[in-house]
Amino acid sequence: MSKTSSGLLELHSAVLLFGGTALFSKLIPLGALDITVYRCAIAALVLALIVKATRHPLRLGNTRDYGIALALGIIVSLHWVTYFASMQMSSVAIGMIAFFTYPVMTVLIEPLINGTRPDLRDLICGIAVLAGVALLIPEASLGNDITLGILVGVLSAALFTARNLLHKRYFAQYTGPQAMFYQTLVAALFLGSFVESTPQELSTDVWQLLILLGVIFTATPHALFTSALRHLSAKTVGLVSCLQPFYGTLLALLLLGESPSANTLVGGLLVVTTAIFETAQSHKSLQQKKS
């Protein structure tokens, strides 16, 4: 098998597993915060082992980077809590579609950070994403769980966007497992004091699901994703990553029996198609700047 084929297999496996994390919002009978804390604690342990196994240092390069890791960990902890909460309030499909507004948020916000203006194409894509999200909303009332779930999902996307932009600017010198070790560790410590269910209160079945989530659906895909990046172009990685809502919705249909409505399918298609278009155009613009 060639390095490219191997990289594609690793990438699709990672995206499939990332999509599968959404199922645990329904499978684990805990609140979103508790799921996040236990997930992060387990993943941090596994990621530390992966870093050691790949002979990378756990220690960061300087004191400033520990402060950045702390900030990134707090942001990612809030992202994951809102991510799971969104799906618990609505459905896996709706929560994932709301979350996947983040690629368009990124292309709208990143130019402002760099001191430039978003172009007209990006603004049109932003409007298309808003239209897609609007199709998911059953009624304009915060008293409706689905509407609230959509808003929380968009908040999760905003937090994820902030994490990605900060990571790219200040923490990109570290490998995926190194970076995620600190972020999951900080998230577990930051939210740990708010846990409602102590480890002793969890049943064996719940622990099995949490270990599955932490090891197979958190640490493993991050390791696969990092490995795939070495053999594939940024465009390929970005486009395949846009399949995450599809994988998540398909798994929810097969394993949970969640059947998305027509509005959810149309809205999701609009959001994901826009995300794919923006990913392709961003890569094209980057290549033109390099040439």
Side-chain angles (χ1 to χ4, degrees), residues 10-24 39 79-80 83-84 87 92 96 99-100 102 160 163 180 213 216-226 237 240-241 243-245 247-249 251:
E10 289 173 333
L11 179 59
H12 276 281
S13 298
V15 173
L16 177 63
L17 291 172
F18 281 138
T21 60
L23 304 182
F24 291 88
R39 173 198 194 186
H79 151 61
W80 271 332
Y83 177 77
F84 285 119
M87 293 170 197
V92 169
M96 291 205 74
F99 163 66
F100 231 75
Y102 85 83
F160 190 65
R163 194 291 299 261
M180 287 310 300
L213 172 60
I216 305 299
F217 287 86
T218 303
T220 301
H222 279 292
L224 288 170
F225 195 83
T226 304
V237 172
V240 173
S241 296
L243 290 173
Q244 188 175 325
Y247 284 144
T249 301
L251 288 171

Side-chain angles (χ1 to χ4, degrees), residues 107 131 234:
V107 297

Side-chain angles (χ1 to χ4, degrees), residues 31-110:
L33 188 144
D34 284 22
I35 293 174
T36 300
V37 170
Y38 288 112
R39 173 198 194 186
C40 288
I42 294 166
L45 176 61
V46 176
L47 287 164
L49 295 175
I50 291 174
V51 172
K52 284 296 186 183
T54 53
R55 297 184 178 179
H56 287 99
L58 274 176
R59 184 174 296 181
L60 299 180
N62 54 64
T63 304
R64 171 178 169 271
D65 287 350
Y66 286 99
I68 295 170
L70 178 63
L72 291 173
I74 291 173
I75 293 171
V76 86
S77 70
L78 298 175
H79 151 61
W80 271 332
V81 169
T82 50
Y83 177 77
F84 285 119
S86 171
M87 293 170 197
Q88 289 180 335
M89 293 174 185
S90 54
S91 68
V92 169
I94 288 175
M96 291 205 74
I97 292 166
F99 163 66
F100 231 75
T101 56
Y102 85 83
V104 177
M105 286 186 190
T106 302
V107 297
L108 289 174
I109 295 171
E110 193 168 24

Side-chain angles (χ1 to χ4, degrees), residues 70-237:
L70 178 63
L72 291 173
I74 291 173
I75 293 171
V76 86
S77 70
L78 298 175
H79 151 61
W80 271 332
V81 169
T82 50
Y83 177 77
F84 285 119
S86 171
M87 293 170 197
Q88 289 180 335
M89 293 174 185
S90 54
S91 68
V92 169
I94 288 175
M96 291 205 74
I97 292 166
F99 163 66
F100 231 75
T101 56
Y102 85 83
V104 177
M105 286 186 190
T106 302
V107 297
L108 289 174
I109 295 171
E110 193 168 24
L112 299 177
I113 294 175
N114 296 332
T116 59
R117 293 181 180 179
D119 61 29
L120 181 60
R121 182 202 70 211
D122 295 334
L123 295 175
I124 292 172
C125 285
I127 293 170
V129 165
L130 287 175
V133 172
L135 285 171
L136 306 178
I137 300 174
E139 59 178 286
S141 169
L142 292 180
N144 184 286
D145 283 348
I146 293 177
T147 303
L148 193 58
I150 292 167
L151 292 177
V152 172
V154 172
L155 173 60
S156 180
L159 290 164
F160 190 65
T161 299
R163 194 291 299 261
N164 289 348
L165 292 175
L166 289 170
H167 183 280
K168 181 179 179 180
R169 188 159 187 158
Y170 300 110
F171 217 63
Q173 67 271 33
Y174 298 103
T175 66
Q178 281 176 303
M180 287 310 300
F181 162 71
Y182 278 96
Q183 290 173 43
T184 52
L185 178 64
V186 169
L189 295 174
F190 175 64
L191 298 175
S193 59
F194 303 104
V195 167
E196 293 182 357
S197 301
T198 63
Q200 295 83 0
E201 295 173 337
L202 302 182
S203 67
T204 303
D205 289 344
V206 170
W207 268 117
Q208 289 174 345
L209 287 171
L210 287 170
I211 291 171
L212 186 65
L213 172 60
V215 177
I216 305 299
F217 287 86
T218 303
T220 301
H222 279 292
L224 288 170
F225 195 83
T226 304
S227 179
L229 285 172
R230 297 173 184 169
H231 309 301
L232 301 173
S233 68
K235 178 181 178 181
T236 300
V237 172

